Amino acid sequence: MGTVVDDDASVEFHAFFERHYDELARLARLLTGEADLADDLAADALLALWHRWDRVRAADHPVAYARGVVANLARTRIRSAVRERRRVALFWSPREERTENPDVAGVVDVQEALRRLPFRKRACVVLRHAFDLSERDTALALGISVGTVKSQTSKGMTELQRLLGARGVPAAMAATVPSDDAAGGDR
């Protein structure tokens, strides 16, 4: 990253690393419950410290600062894992819904129109109308605000109506079984 550190600082950081790496990895393991992830988090924390070593070494308690970096990285990783599990659960629900006598041509048209929407609009429309999720659950699944869900769903539905003509888009959406492309094609 372009950080210039003199030889004394390099030696000092190396000593800090040797003294505290195991402690930081143990902290990360206790926070996350994952040994392999803990090693990565400790290494990432020490890399971040190295890039700011001139400020860290001047701090009153560099080890406390390092522990805070590990805790923040662990919290971010845990939140990310929770969000990902929620997204997977929402997109890959175990129940399979079937529609009797589907309008195959209509379904194909809707799926093709969905593929033409940008990902965020497509995801909002699919989650709201095909999966019948609330605005709040859709926002949670996509990691966006409820207001963004509202605007993206509205814009997506307007675009679908333009692409499909006067057909009843919500009714066609309910009969559409989302394909892999509808769940996560182009981004």
Side-chain angles (χ1 to χ4, degrees):
M1 291 251 164
T3 303
V4 178
V5 179
D6 61 29
D7 287 340
D8 290 339
S10 180
V11 169
E12 186 180 310
F13 177 80
H14 183 74
F16 182 89
F17 181 99
E18 292 296 323
R19 256 190 333 270
H20 299 290
Y21 177 82
D22 289 337
E23 172 193 349
L24 296 173
R26 187 170 61 249
L27 172 63
R29 188 180 72 247
L30 291 171
L31 292 173
T32 64
E34 299 179 40
D36 291 339
L37 176 60
D39 286 336
D40 291 344
L41 290 177
D44 288 347
L46 285 162
L47 180 62
L49 293 175
W50 170 247
H51 288 295
R52 294 184 214 97
W53 188 243
D54 56 329
R55 287 184 289 173
V56 174
R57 73 196 277 209
D60 291 336
H61 303 285
V63 176
Y65 184 83
R67 289 181 191 132
V69 172
V70 169
N72 286 333
L73 288 172
R75 180 178 39 250
T76 299
R77 174 63 176 105
I78 290 166
R79 285 179 177 167
S80 175
V82 167
R83 278 192 306 271
E84 185 63 26
R85 280 194 295 273
R86 286 179 181 156
R87 287 181 186 130
V88 168
L90 288 171
F91 278 111
W92 302 107
S93 65
R95 60 187 158 87
E96 191 171 313
E97 297 177 18
R98 296 271 182 217
T99 303
E100 295 206 20
N101 301 322
D103 176 8
V104 175
V107 169
V108 170
D109 289 346
V110 170
Q111 288 179 343
E112 182 58 35
L114 282 170
R115 278 193 270 290
R116 294 178 65 187
L117 294 179
F119 176 76
R120 185 177 283 180
K121 287 179 188 172
R122 181 183 340 146
C124 287
V125 168
V126 167
L127 289 172
R128 291 284 291 128
H129 294 286
F131 284 85
D132 199 29
L133 292 184
S134 69
E135 290 167 342
R136 183 177 173 274
D137 288 341
T138 301
L140 186 64
L142 298 175
I144 59 179
S145 72
V146 172
T148 301
V149 169
K150 289 178 182 181
S151 69
Q152 293 296 293
T153 302
S154 174
K155 290 174 184 177
M157 292 302 290
T158 299
E159 184 68 12
L160 282 177
Q161 287 172 341
R162 187 187 66 74
L163 291 169
L164 295 170
R167 288 188 220 191
V169 176
M173 282 296 299
T176 303
V177 177
S179 69
D180 289 340
D181 290 334
D186 67 321
R187 292 183 189 260

